[in-house]
Amino acid sequence: MLDADFFRRWMAAATASVDREAERLTDLDSAIGDADHGSNLQRGFRAVATALEKDAPDTPGAVLTLAGRQLISTVGGASGPLYGTLLRRTGKALGDASEVDTAQLAEALRAGVDGVMALGGAAPGDKTMIDALLPAVDALGDGFAAARAAAEQGAEATIPLQARKGRASYLGERSIGHQDPGATSSALLIATLEEAAEG
Ligand SMILES: [Mg+2]
């Protein structure tokens, strides 16, 4: 079972991962966006880490809801509201249970991804974070390693796509040949579930 500690470890691992990969995310965003994805997420997840230390929410849902609120209030551009909505909707779907299982997490994450699609208007194949998140949610029933592999494959599969949403879509065909930064950071977020499970 996954308790509040697991979700705090997940957010801590995500913060560390975004710190490690910030430069790569910004490089990807400089190719087809405005070169701020790494620094934006870094600022947001550091605020998440600080808030979780201060408030110590005691249910899985409360951890993710607080994290989502922090991302919405500290990250500018599109990625703050999108990531914030992902975590807040997922947290709300988990309710006030003190522990959840992987199937419940998968169901809640699906609600979170639905929220992201509703907010951003992106569908699968539009070269966005959805292309990593949706395959991960579908694979989560087979475990965290499977979700990680699906998210990483989904992010890599954005390379040949033409962007149809977000700033990269302004580039039209010139967005082809570059991995989407949002799909890449989404794969990082999913990959850190496995780290959290290892303790
Ligand atoms: Mg950007």
Side-chain angles (χ1 to χ4, degrees), residues 16-59:
S17 177
V18 165
D19 268 338
R20 279 195 306 272
E21 302 290 333
E23 206 175 299
R24 182 165 75 103
L25 294 174
T26 288
D27 284 349
L28 291 171
D29 195 29
S30 69
I32 58 171
D34 56 354
D36 62 0
H37 193 54
S39 51
N40 274 344
L41 282 190
Q42 201 170 26
R43 183 170 64 251
F45 274 96
R46 282 177 180 173
V48 168
T50 303
L52 288 176
E53 272 169 39
K54 211 175 82 185
D55 278 11
D58 59 0
T59 65

PDB file of all heavy atoms in Angstrom, residues 16-59:
ATOM      1  N   ALA A  16      14.355  16.259  -6.976  1.00  0.00           N
ATOM      2  CA  ALA A  16      15.770  15.959  -7.247  1.00  0.00           C
ATOM      3  C   ALA A  16      15.991  15.665  -8.727  1.00  0.00           C
ATOM      4  O   ALA A  16      16.986  16.087  -9.320  1.00  0.00           O
ATOM      5  CB  ALA A  16      16.212  14.771  -6.388  1.00  0.00           C
ATOM      6  N   SER A  17      15.061  14.946  -9.330  1.00  0.00           N
ATOM      7  CA  SER A  17      15.188  14.597 -10.740  1.00  0.00           C
ATOM      8  C   SER A  17      15.117  15.838 -11.630  1.00  0.00           C
ATOM      9  O   SER A  17      15.911  15.992 -12.573  1.00  0.00           O
ATOM     10  CB  SER A  17      14.091  13.588 -11.108  1.00  0.00           C
ATOM     11  OG  SER A  17      14.143  13.289 -12.472  1.00  0.00           O
ATOM     12  N   VAL A  18      14.181  16.728 -11.319  1.00  0.00           N
ATOM     13  CA  VAL A  18      14.059  17.974 -12.096  1.00  0.00           C
ATOM     14  C   VAL A  18      15.323  18.821 -11.923  1.00  0.00           C
ATOM     15  O   VAL A  18      15.814  19.429 -12.878  1.00  0.00           O
ATOM     16  CB  VAL A  18      12.784  18.747 -11.673  1.00  0.00           C
ATOM     17  CG1 VAL A  18      12.823  20.188 -12.168  1.00  0.00           C
ATOM     18  CG2 VAL A  18      11.545  18.041 -12.203  1.00  0.00           C
ATOM     19  N   ASP A  19      15.886  18.838 -10.705  1.00  0.00           N
ATOM     20  CA  ASP A  19      17.151  19.554 -10.478  1.00  0.00           C
ATOM     21  C   ASP A  19      18.265  18.990 -11.363  1.00  0.00           C
ATOM     22  O   ASP A  19      19.001  19.734 -12.002  1.00  0.00           O
ATOM     23  CB  ASP A  19      17.578  19.423  -9.005  1.00  0.00           C
ATOM     24  CG  ASP A  19      17.055  20.575  -8.153  1.00  0.00           C
ATOM     25  OD1 ASP A  19      16.750  21.635  -8.718  1.00  0.00           O
ATOM     26  OD2 ASP A  19      16.978  20.393  -6.929  1.00  0.00           O
ATOM     27  N   ARG A  20      18.370  17.659 -11.385  1.00  0.00           N
ATOM     28  CA  ARG A  20      19.427  17.006 -12.182  1.00  0.00           C
ATOM     29  C   ARG A  20      19.259  17.261 -13.668  1.00  0.00           C
ATOM     30  O   ARG A  20      20.230  17.409 -14.398  1.00  0.00           O
ATOM     31  CB  ARG A  20      19.392  15.480 -11.957  1.00  0.00           C
ATOM     32  CG  ARG A  20      20.058  14.978 -10.698  1.00  0.00           C
ATOM     33  CD  ARG A  20      20.290  13.460 -10.782  1.00  0.00           C
ATOM     34  NE  ARG A  20      19.093  12.695 -11.079  1.00  0.00           N
ATOM     35  CZ  ARG A  20      18.247  12.236 -10.156  1.00  0.00           C
ATOM     36  NH1 ARG A  20      18.453  12.471  -8.876  1.00  0.00           N
ATOM     37  NH2 ARG A  20      17.182  11.541 -10.515  1.00  0.00           N
ATOM     38  N   GLU A  21      18.001  17.270 -14.124  1.00  0.00           N
ATOM     39  CA  GLU A  21      17.721  17.294 -15.570  1.00  0.00           C
ATOM     40  C   GLU A  21      17.307  18.672 -16.079  1.00  0.00           C
ATOM     41  O   GLU A  21      16.910  18.795 -17.240  1.00  0.00           O
ATOM     42  CB  GLU A  21      16.610  16.286 -15.892  1.00  0.00           C
ATOM     43  CG  GLU A  21      16.921  14.853 -15.489  1.00  0.00           C
ATOM     44  CD  GLU A  21      18.007  14.226 -16.362  1.00  0.00           C
ATOM     45  OE1 GLU A  21      18.155  14.642 -17.530  1.00  0.00           O
ATOM     46  OE2 GLU A  21      18.725  13.347 -15.847  1.00  0.00           O
ATOM     47  N   ALA A  22      17.386  19.694 -15.229  1.00  0.00           N
ATOM     48  CA  ALA A  22      16.875  21.022 -15.614  1.00  0.00           C
ATOM     49  C   ALA A  22      17.528  21.527 -16.900  1.00  0.00           C
ATOM     50  O   ALA A  22      16.852  22.077 -17.780  1.00  0.00           O
ATOM     51  CB  ALA A  22      17.082  22.017 -14.476  1.00  0.00           C
ATOM     52  N   GLU A  23      18.843  21.319 -17.011  1.00  0.00           N
ATOM     53  CA  GLU A  23      19.540  21.838 -18.186  1.00  0.00           C
ATOM     54  C   GLU A  23      19.066  21.137 -19.459  1.00  0.00           C
ATOM     55  O   GLU A  23      18.842  21.776 -20.489  1.00  0.00           O
ATOM     56  CB  GLU A  23      21.047  21.645 -17.997  1.00  0.00           C
ATOM     57  CG  GLU A  23      21.878  22.629 -18.772  1.00  0.00           C
ATOM     58  CD  GLU A  23      23.356  22.471 -18.457  1.00  0.00           C
ATOM     59  OE1 GLU A  23      23.722  22.649 -17.268  1.00  0.00           O
ATOM     60  OE2 GLU A  23      24.125  22.157 -19.376  1.00  0.00           O
ATOM     61  N   ARG A  24      18.886  19.810 -19.361  1.00  0.00           N
ATOM     62  CA  ARG A  24      18.413  19.070 -20.533  1.00  0.00           C
ATOM     63  C   ARG A  24      17.008  19.524 -20.935  1.00  0.00           C
ATOM     64  O   ARG A  24      16.705  19.699 -22.118  1.00  0.00           O
ATOM     65  CB  ARG A  24      18.409  17.556 -20.254  1.00  0.00           C
ATOM     66  CG  ARG A  24      17.968  16.717 -21.451  1.00  0.00           C
ATOM     67  CD  ARG A  24      18.307  15.248 -21.288  1.00  0.00           C
ATOM     68  NE  ARG A  24      17.429  14.564 -20.364  1.00  0.00           N
ATOM     69  CZ  ARG A  24      16.432  13.751 -20.731  1.00  0.00           C
ATOM     70  NH1 ARG A  24      16.203  13.525 -22.012  1.00  0.00           N
ATOM     71  NH2 ARG A  24      15.683  13.158 -19.837  1.00  0.00           N
ATOM     72  N   LEU A  25      16.138  19.742 -19.937  1.00  0.00           N
ATOM     73  CA  LEU A  25      14.768  20.190 -20.238  1.00  0.00           C
ATOM     74  C   LEU A  25      14.787  21.559 -20.905  1.00  0.00           C
ATOM     75  O   LEU A  25      14.037  21.812 -21.854  1.00  0.00           O
ATOM     76  CB  LEU A  25      13.927  20.241 -18.950  1.00  0.00           C
ATOM     77  CG  LEU A  25      13.658  18.898 -18.269  1.00  0.00           C
ATOM     78  CD1 LEU A  25      12.940  19.118 -16.943  1.00  0.00           C
ATOM     79  CD2 LEU A  25      12.840  17.975 -19.169  1.00  0.00           C
ATOM     80  N   THR A  26      15.647  22.430 -20.422  1.00  0.00           N
ATOM     81  CA  THR A  26      15.738  23.763 -21.008  1.00  0.00           C
ATOM     82  C   THR A  26      16.325  23.690 -22.417  1.00  0.00           C
ATOM     83  O   THR A  26      15.878  24.409 -23.322  1.00  0.00           O
ATOM     84  CB  THR A  26      16.549  24.695 -20.087  1.00  0.00           C
ATOM     85  OG1 THR A  26      15.730  24.987 -18.946  1.00  0.00           O
ATOM     86  CG2 THR A  26      16.909  26.004 -20.773  1.00  0.00           C
ATOM     87  N   ASP A  27      17.312  22.808 -22.629  1.00  0.00           N
ATOM     88  CA  ASP A  27      17.864  22.625 -23.988  1.00  0.00           C
ATOM     89  C   ASP A  27      16.773  22.163 -24.952  1.00  0.00           C
ATOM     90  O   ASP A  27      16.667  22.675 -26.073  1.00  0.00           O
ATOM     91  CB  ASP A  27      18.999  21.592 -23.981  1.00  0.00           C
ATOM     92  CG  ASP A  27      20.284  22.172 -23.409  1.00  0.00           C
ATOM     93  OD1 ASP A  27      20.338  23.411 -23.228  1.00  0.00           O
ATOM     94  OD2 ASP A  27      21.217  21.400 -23.135  1.00  0.00           O
ATOM     95  N   LEU A  28      15.968  21.185 -24.515  1.00  0.00           N
ATOM     96  CA  LEU A  28      14.879  20.701 -25.378  1.00  0.00           C
ATOM     97  C   LEU A  28      13.900  21.836 -25.668  1.00  0.00           C
ATOM     98  O   LEU A  28      13.413  21.990 -26.794  1.00  0.00           O
ATOM     99  CB  LEU A  28      14.138  19.529 -24.712  1.00  0.00           C
ATOM    100  CG  LEU A  28      14.909  18.215 -24.576  1.00  0.00           C
ATOM    101  CD1 LEU A  28      14.125  17.229 -23.700  1.00  0.00           C
ATOM    102  CD2 LEU A  28      15.197  17.600 -25.935  1.00  0.00           C
ATOM    103  N   ASP A  29      13.616  22.643 -24.648  1.00  0.00           N
ATOM    104  CA  ASP A  29      12.665  23.743 -24.807  1.00  0.00           C
ATOM    105  C   ASP A  29      13.260  24.868 -25.658  1.00  0.00           C
ATOM    106  O   ASP A  29      12.519  25.622 -26.290  1.00  0.00           O
ATOM    107  CB  ASP A  29      12.255  24.271 -23.429  1.00  0.00           C
ATOM    108  CG  ASP A  29      11.014  25.159 -23.481  1.00  0.00           C
ATOM    109  OD1 ASP A  29      10.167  24.949 -24.374  1.00  0.00           O
ATOM    110  OD2 ASP A  29      10.902  26.054 -22.636  1.00  0.00           O
ATOM    111  N   SER A  30      14.584  24.977 -25.691  1.00  0.00           N
ATOM    112  CA  SER A  30      15.177  26.027 -26.528  1.00  0.00           C
ATOM    113  C   SER A  30      15.063  25.659 -28.008  1.00  0.00           C
ATOM    114  O   SER A  30      15.025  26.540 -28.865  1.00  0.00           O
ATOM    115  CB  SER A  30      16.630  26.299 -26.142  1.00  0.00           C
ATOM    116  OG  SER A  30      17.438  25.210 -26.488  1.00  0.00           O
ATOM    117  N   ALA A  31      14.965  24.340 -28.303  1.00  0.00           N
ATOM    118  CA  ALA A  31      14.833  23.919 -29.704  1.00  0.00           C
ATOM    119  C   ALA A  31      13.449  24.243 -30.259  1.00  0.00           C
ATOM    120  O   ALA A  31      13.322  24.668 -31.407  1.00  0.00           O
ATOM    121  CB  ALA A  31      15.118  22.421 -29.822  1.00  0.00           C
ATOM    122  N   ILE A  32      12.406  24.051 -29.461  1.00  0.00           N
ATOM    123  CA  ILE A  32      11.042  24.222 -30.009  1.00  0.00           C
ATOM    124  C   ILE A  32      10.156  25.087 -29.121  1.00  0.00           C
ATOM    125  O   ILE A  32       8.941  25.125 -29.288  1.00  0.00           O
ATOM    126  CB  ILE A  32      10.353  22.858 -30.274  1.00  0.00           C
ATOM    127  CG1 ILE A  32      10.270  22.002 -29.011  1.00  0.00           C
ATOM    128  CG2 ILE A  32      11.068  22.116 -31.402  1.00  0.00           C
ATOM    129  CD1 ILE A  32       9.414  20.744 -29.180  1.00  0.00           C
ATOM    130  N   GLY A  33      10.749  25.784 -28.137  1.00  0.00           N
ATOM    131  CA  GLY A  33       9.937  26.619 -27.249  1.00  0.00           C
ATOM    132  C   GLY A  33      10.689  27.871 -26.858  1.00  0.00           C
ATOM    133  O   GLY A  33      11.370  28.460 -27.684  1.00  0.00           O
ATOM    134  N   ASP A  34      10.608  28.232 -25.566  1.00  0.00           N
ATOM    135  CA  ASP A  34      11.227  29.477 -25.137  1.00  0.00           C
ATOM    136  C   ASP A  34      12.272  29.270 -24.043  1.00  0.00           C
ATOM    137  O   ASP A  34      12.569  30.192 -23.273  1.00  0.00           O
ATOM    138  CB  ASP A  34      10.159  30.478 -24.691  1.00  0.00           C
ATOM    139  CG  ASP A  34       9.269  29.912 -23.605  1.00  0.00           C
ATOM    140  OD1 ASP A  34       9.415  28.707 -23.294  1.00  0.00           O
ATOM    141  OD2 ASP A  34       8.432  30.647 -23.075  1.00  0.00           O
ATOM    142  N   ALA A  35      12.824  28.057 -23.995  1.00  0.00           N
ATOM    143  CA  ALA A  35      14.025  27.802 -23.180  1.00  0.00           C
ATOM    144  C   ALA A  35      13.854  28.073 -21.689  1.00  0.00           C
ATOM    145  O   ALA A  35      14.783  28.529 -21.032  1.00  0.00           O
ATOM    146  CB  ALA A  35      15.214  28.599 -23.731  1.00  0.00           C
ATOM    147  N   ASP A  36      12.659  27.801 -21.168  1.00  0.00           N
ATOM    148  CA  ASP A  36      12.495  28.030 -19.731  1.00  0.00           C
ATOM    149  C   ASP A  36      11.909  26.819 -18.988  1.00  0.00           C
ATOM    150  O   ASP A  36      11.620  26.914 -17.798  1.00  0.00           O
ATOM    151  CB  ASP A  36      11.605  29.262 -19.484  1.00  0.00           C
ATOM    152  CG  ASP A  36      10.193  29.090 -20.040  1.00  0.00           C
ATOM    153  OD1 ASP A  36       9.905  28.031 -20.619  1.00  0.00           O
ATOM    154  OD2 ASP A  36       9.390  30.028 -19.894  1.00  0.00           O
ATOM    155  N   HIS A  37      11.740  25.694 -19.669  1.00  0.00           N
ATOM    156  CA  HIS A  37      11.023  24.585 -19.029  1.00  0.00           C
ATOM    157  C   HIS A  37      11.779  24.033 -17.820  1.00  0.00           C
ATOM    158  O   HIS A  37      11.179  23.761 -16.782  1.00  0.00           O
ATOM    159  CB  HIS A  37      10.757  23.472 -20.049  1.00  0.00           C
ATOM    160  CG  HIS A  37       9.775  22.451 -19.565  1.00  0.00           C
ATOM    161  ND1 HIS A  37       8.521  22.786 -19.108  1.00  0.00           N
ATOM    162  CD2 HIS A  37       9.865  21.105 -19.432  1.00  0.00           C
ATOM    163  CE1 HIS A  37       7.886  21.681 -18.731  1.00  0.00           C
ATOM    164  NE2 HIS A  37       8.679  20.659 -18.917  1.00  0.00           N
ATOM    165  N   GLY A  38      13.099  23.887 -17.968  1.00  0.00           N
ATOM    166  CA  GLY A  38      13.886  23.357 -16.847  1.00  0.00           C
ATOM    167  C   GLY A  38      13.854  24.275 -15.646  1.00  0.00           C
ATOM    168  O   GLY A  38      13.561  23.843 -14.523  1.00  0.00           O
ATOM    169  N   SER A  39      14.126  25.555 -15.862  1.00  0.00           N
ATOM    170  CA  SER A  39      14.178  26.488 -14.732  1.00  0.00           C
ATOM    171  C   SER A  39      12.793  26.685 -14.119  1.00  0.00           C
ATOM    172  O   SER A  39      12.657  26.813 -12.899  1.00  0.00           O
ATOM    173  CB  SER A  39      14.784  27.817 -15.170  1.00  0.00           C
ATOM    174  OG  SER A  39      14.138  28.296 -16.322  1.00  0.00           O
ATOM    175  N   ASN A  40      11.749  26.673 -14.945  1.00  0.00           N
ATOM    176  CA  ASN A  40      10.384  26.807 -14.415  1.00  0.00           C
ATOM    177  C   ASN A  40      10.028  25.653 -13.487  1.00  0.00           C
ATOM    178  O   ASN A  40       9.537  25.857 -12.371  1.00  0.00           O
ATOM    179  CB  ASN A  40       9.365  26.832 -15.560  1.00  0.00           C
ATOM    180  CG  ASN A  40       9.180  28.230 -16.124  1.00  0.00           C
ATOM    181  OD1 ASN A  40       9.563  29.216 -15.502  1.00  0.00           O
ATOM    182  ND2 ASN A  40       8.597  28.302 -17.311  1.00  0.00           N
ATOM    183  N   LEU A  41      10.265  24.437 -13.958  1.00  0.00           N
ATOM    184  CA  LEU A  41       9.905  23.280 -13.134  1.00  0.00           C
ATOM    185  C   LEU A  41      10.785  23.188 -11.893  1.00  0.00           C
ATOM    186  O   LEU A  41      10.332  22.766 -10.828  1.00  0.00           O
ATOM    187  CB  LEU A  41      10.003  21.990 -13.943  1.00  0.00           C
ATOM    188  CG  LEU A  41       8.856  21.691 -14.900  1.00  0.00           C
ATOM    189  CD1 LEU A  41       8.980  20.274 -15.434  1.00  0.00           C
ATOM    190  CD2 LEU A  41       7.496  21.867 -14.243  1.00  0.00           C
ATOM    191  N   GLN A  42      12.053  23.577 -12.052  1.00  0.00           N
ATOM    192  CA  GLN A  42      12.960  23.565 -10.906  1.00  0.00           C
ATOM    193  C   GLN A  42      12.431  24.481  -9.796  1.00  0.00           C
ATOM    194  O   GLN A  42      12.358  24.080  -8.633  1.00  0.00           O
ATOM    195  CB  GLN A  42      14.326  24.047 -11.386  1.00  0.00           C
ATOM    196  CG  GLN A  42      15.473  23.633 -10.514  1.00  0.00           C
ATOM    197  CD  GLN A  42      16.803  23.944 -11.185  1.00  0.00           C
ATOM    198  OE1 GLN A  42      16.899  24.847 -12.028  1.00  0.00           O
ATOM    199  NE2 GLN A  42      17.822  23.214 -10.819  1.00  0.00           N
ATOM    200  N   ARG A  43      12.020  25.671 -10.179  1.00  0.00           N
ATOM    201  CA  ARG A  43      11.475  26.609  -9.197  1.00  0.00           C
ATOM    202  C   ARG A  43      10.213  26.032  -8.560  1.00  0.00           C
ATOM    203  O   ARG A  43      10.018  26.083  -7.346  1.00  0.00           O
ATOM    204  CB  ARG A  43      11.170  27.949  -9.873  1.00  0.00           C
ATOM    205  CG  ARG A  43      10.665  29.013  -8.934  1.00  0.00           C
ATOM    206  CD  ARG A  43      10.609  30.384  -9.580  1.00  0.00           C
ATOM    207  NE  ARG A  43       9.656  30.428 -10.690  1.00  0.00           N
ATOM    208  CZ  ARG A  43      10.001  30.507 -11.977  1.00  0.00           C
ATOM    209  NH1 ARG A  43      11.264  30.569 -12.328  1.00  0.00           N
ATOM    210  NH2 ARG A  43       9.083  30.511 -12.923  1.00  0.00           N
ATOM    211  N   GLY A  44       9.349  25.444  -9.395  1.00  0.00           N
ATOM    212  CA  GLY A  44       8.091  24.908  -8.902  1.00  0.00           C
ATOM    213  C   GLY A  44       8.279  23.753  -7.929  1.00  0.00           C
ATOM    214  O   GLY A  44       7.671  23.725  -6.854  1.00  0.00           O
ATOM    215  N   PHE A  45       9.128  22.791  -8.302  1.00  0.00           N
ATOM    216  CA  PHE A  45       9.292  21.622  -7.434  1.00  0.00           C
ATOM    217  C   PHE A  45      10.065  21.958  -6.158  1.00  0.00           C
ATOM    218  O   PHE A  45       9.832  21.341  -5.108  1.00  0.00           O
ATOM    219  CB  PHE A  45       9.902  20.449  -8.209  1.00  0.00           C
ATOM    220  CG  PHE A  45       8.855  19.640  -8.922  1.00  0.00           C
ATOM    221  CD1 PHE A  45       8.560  19.864 -10.250  1.00  0.00           C
ATOM    222  CD2 PHE A  45       8.119  18.670  -8.249  1.00  0.00           C
ATOM    223  CE1 PHE A  45       7.567  19.142 -10.907  1.00  0.00           C
ATOM    224  CE2 PHE A  45       7.126  17.936  -8.887  1.00  0.00           C
ATOM    225  CZ  PHE A  45       6.855  18.175 -10.216  1.00  0.00           C
ATOM    226  N   ARG A  46      10.960  22.945  -6.233  1.00  0.00           N
ATOM    227  CA  ARG A  46      11.604  23.386  -4.984  1.00  0.00           C
ATOM    228  C   ARG A  46      10.568  23.980  -4.042  1.00  0.00           C
ATOM    229  O   ARG A  46      10.626  23.762  -2.827  1.00  0.00           O
ATOM    230  CB  ARG A  46      12.711  24.396  -5.290  1.00  0.00           C
ATOM    231  CG  ARG A  46      13.965  23.697  -5.792  1.00  0.00           C
ATOM    232  CD  ARG A  46      15.039  24.703  -6.155  1.00  0.00           C
ATOM    233  NE  ARG A  46      16.243  24.033  -6.635  1.00  0.00           N
ATOM    234  CZ  ARG A  46      17.292  24.674  -7.147  1.00  0.00           C
ATOM    235  NH1 ARG A  46      17.274  25.996  -7.232  1.00  0.00           N
ATOM    236  NH2 ARG A  46      18.346  24.007  -7.548  1.00  0.00           N
ATOM    237  N   ALA A  47       9.604  24.715  -4.593  1.00  0.00           N
ATOM    238  CA  ALA A  47       8.526  25.269  -3.757  1.00  0.00           C
ATOM    239  C   ALA A  47       7.667  24.142  -3.185  1.00  0.00           C
ATOM    240  O   ALA A  47       7.213  24.211  -2.032  1.00  0.00           O
ATOM    241  CB  ALA A  47       7.670  26.231  -4.582  1.00  0.00           C
ATOM    242  N   VAL A  48       7.454  23.095  -3.983  1.00  0.00           N
ATOM    243  CA  VAL A  48       6.711  21.920  -3.496  1.00  0.00           C
ATOM    244  C   VAL A  48       7.444  21.298  -2.308  1.00  0.00           C
ATOM    245  O   VAL A  48       6.846  21.012  -1.254  1.00  0.00           O
ATOM    246  CB  VAL A  48       6.537  20.874  -4.621  1.00  0.00           C
ATOM    247  CG1 VAL A  48       6.042  19.542  -4.062  1.00  0.00           C
ATOM    248  CG2 VAL A  48       5.574  21.403  -5.693  1.00  0.00           C
ATOM    249  N   ALA A  49       8.757  21.105  -2.455  1.00  0.00           N
ATOM    250  CA  ALA A  49       9.545  20.477  -1.385  1.00  0.00           C
ATOM    251  C   ALA A  49       9.479  21.307  -0.107  1.00  0.00           C
ATOM    252  O   ALA A  49       9.281  20.761   0.992  1.00  0.00           O
ATOM    253  CB  ALA A  49      10.991  20.299  -1.847  1.00  0.00           C
ATOM    254  N   THR A  50       9.602  22.613  -0.248  1.00  0.00           N
ATOM    255  CA  THR A  50       9.545  23.497   0.923  1.00  0.00           C
ATOM    256  C   THR A  50       8.182  23.419   1.603  1.00  0.00           C
ATOM    257  O   THR A  50       8.082  23.304   2.828  1.00  0.00           O
ATOM    258  CB  THR A  50       9.830  24.959   0.491  1.00  0.00           C
ATOM    259  OG1 THR A  50      11.104  24.982  -0.152  1.00  0.00           O
ATOM    260  CG2 THR A  50       9.853  25.890   1.679  1.00  0.00           C
ATOM    261  N   ALA A  51       7.116  23.456   0.787  1.00  0.00           N
ATOM    262  CA  ALA A  51       5.756  23.432   1.347  1.00  0.00           C
ATOM    263  C   ALA A  51       5.482  22.106   2.061  1.00  0.00           C
ATOM    264  O   ALA A  51       4.843  22.080   3.107  1.00  0.00           O
ATOM    265  CB  ALA A  51       4.734  23.657   0.232  1.00  0.00           C
ATOM    266  N   LEU A  52       5.974  21.003   1.491  1.00  0.00           N
ATOM    267  CA  LEU A  52       5.718  19.693   2.105  1.00  0.00           C
ATOM    268  C   LEU A  52       6.480  19.540   3.411  1.00  0.00           C
ATOM    269  O   LEU A  52       6.023  18.858   4.328  1.00  0.00           O
ATOM    270  CB  LEU A  52       6.088  18.568   1.131  1.00  0.00           C
ATOM    271  CG  LEU A  52       5.136  18.403  -0.064  1.00  0.00           C
ATOM    272  CD1 LEU A  52       5.648  17.325  -1.010  1.00  0.00           C
ATOM    273  CD2 LEU A  52       3.719  18.081   0.397  1.00  0.00           C
ATOM    274  N   GLU A  53       7.649  20.175   3.507  1.00  0.00           N
ATOM    275  CA  GLU A  53       8.388  20.147   4.778  1.00  0.00           C
ATOM    276  C   GLU A  53       7.656  20.941   5.842  1.00  0.00           C
ATOM    277  O   GLU A  53       7.601  20.543   7.001  1.00  0.00           O
ATOM    278  CB  GLU A  53       9.789  20.734   4.582  1.00  0.00           C
ATOM    279  CG  GLU A  53      10.817  19.711   4.146  1.00  0.00           C
ATOM    280  CD  GLU A  53      12.108  20.389   3.721  1.00  0.00           C
ATOM    281  OE1 GLU A  53      12.510  21.377   4.370  1.00  0.00           O
ATOM    282  OE2 GLU A  53      12.699  19.928   2.724  1.00  0.00           O
ATOM    283  N   LYS A  54       7.097  22.064   5.440  1.00  0.00           N
ATOM    284  CA  LYS A  54       6.457  22.962   6.394  1.00  0.00           C
ATOM    285  C   LYS A  54       5.109  22.403   6.871  1.00  0.00           C
ATOM    286  O   LYS A  54       4.811  22.418   8.059  1.00  0.00           O
ATOM    287  CB  LYS A  54       6.245  24.328   5.731  1.00  0.00           C
ATOM    288  CG  LYS A  54       6.296  25.488   6.701  1.00  0.00           C
ATOM    289  CD  LYS A  54       6.200  26.825   5.980  1.00  0.00           C
ATOM    290  CE  LYS A  54       4.757  27.163   5.677  1.00  0.00           C
ATOM    291  NZ  LYS A  54       4.585  28.375   4.881  1.00  0.00           N
ATOM    292  N   ASP A  55       4.306  21.902   5.928  1.00  0.00           N
ATOM    293  CA  ASP A  55       2.937  21.519   6.261  1.00  0.00           C
ATOM    294  C   ASP A  55       2.760  20.046   6.634  1.00  0.00           C
ATOM    295  O   ASP A  55       1.815  19.709   7.336  1.00  0.00           O
ATOM    296  CB  ASP A  55       2.006  21.833   5.087  1.00  0.00           C
ATOM    297  CG  ASP A  55       1.597  23.294   5.085  1.00  0.00           C
ATOM    298  OD1 ASP A  55       2.204  24.060   5.860  1.00  0.00           O
ATOM    299  OD2 ASP A  55       0.684  23.659   4.327  1.00  0.00           O
ATOM    300  N   ALA A  56       3.634  19.161   6.152  1.00  0.00           N
ATOM    301  CA  ALA A  56       3.547  17.726   6.431  1.00  0.00           C
ATOM    302  C   ALA A  56       2.123  17.171   6.328  1.00  0.00           C
ATOM    303  O   ALA A  56       1.580  16.649   7.300  1.00  0.00           O
ATOM    304  CB  ALA A  56       4.136  17.418   7.806  1.00  0.00           C
ATOM    305  N   PRO A  57       1.464  17.287   5.170  1.00  0.00           N
ATOM    306  CA  PRO A  57       0.118  16.717   5.008  1.00  0.00           C
ATOM    307  C   PRO A  57       0.163  15.198   5.224  1.00  0.00           C
ATOM    308  O   PRO A  57       1.155  14.557   4.892  1.00  0.00           O
ATOM    309  CB  PRO A  57      -0.247  17.056   3.562  1.00  0.00           C
ATOM    310  CG  PRO A  57       1.031  17.381   2.880  1.00  0.00           C
ATOM    311  CD  PRO A  57       1.973  17.873   3.923  1.00  0.00           C
ATOM    312  N   ASP A  58      -0.924  14.654   5.818  1.00  0.00           N
ATOM    313  CA  ASP A  58      -0.830  13.276   6.300  1.00  0.00           C
ATOM    314  C   ASP A  58      -1.651  12.257   5.508  1.00  0.00           C
ATOM    315  O   ASP A  58      -1.833  11.136   5.958  1.00  0.00           O
ATOM    316  CB  ASP A  58      -1.161  13.211   7.794  1.00  0.00           C
ATOM    317  CG  ASP A  58      -2.552  13.735   8.080  1.00  0.00           C
ATOM    318  OD1 ASP A  58      -3.240  14.150   7.108  1.00  0.00           O
ATOM    319  OD2 ASP A  58      -2.957  13.744   9.253  1.00  0.00           O
ATOM    320  N   THR A  59      -2.152  12.645   4.331  1.00  0.00           N
ATOM    321  CA  THR A  59      -2.779  11.644   3.457  1.00  0.00           C
ATOM    322  C   THR A  59      -2.185  11.787   2.055  1.00  0.00           C
ATOM    323  O   THR A  59      -1.704  12.867   1.683  1.00  0.00           O
ATOM    324  CB  THR A  59      -4.308  11.824   3.353  1.00  0.00           C
ATOM    325  OG1 THR A  59      -4.590  13.078   2.718  1.00  0.00           O
ATOM    326  CG2 THR A  59      -4.979  11.766   4.725  1.00  0.00           C
TER     327      THR A  59
END
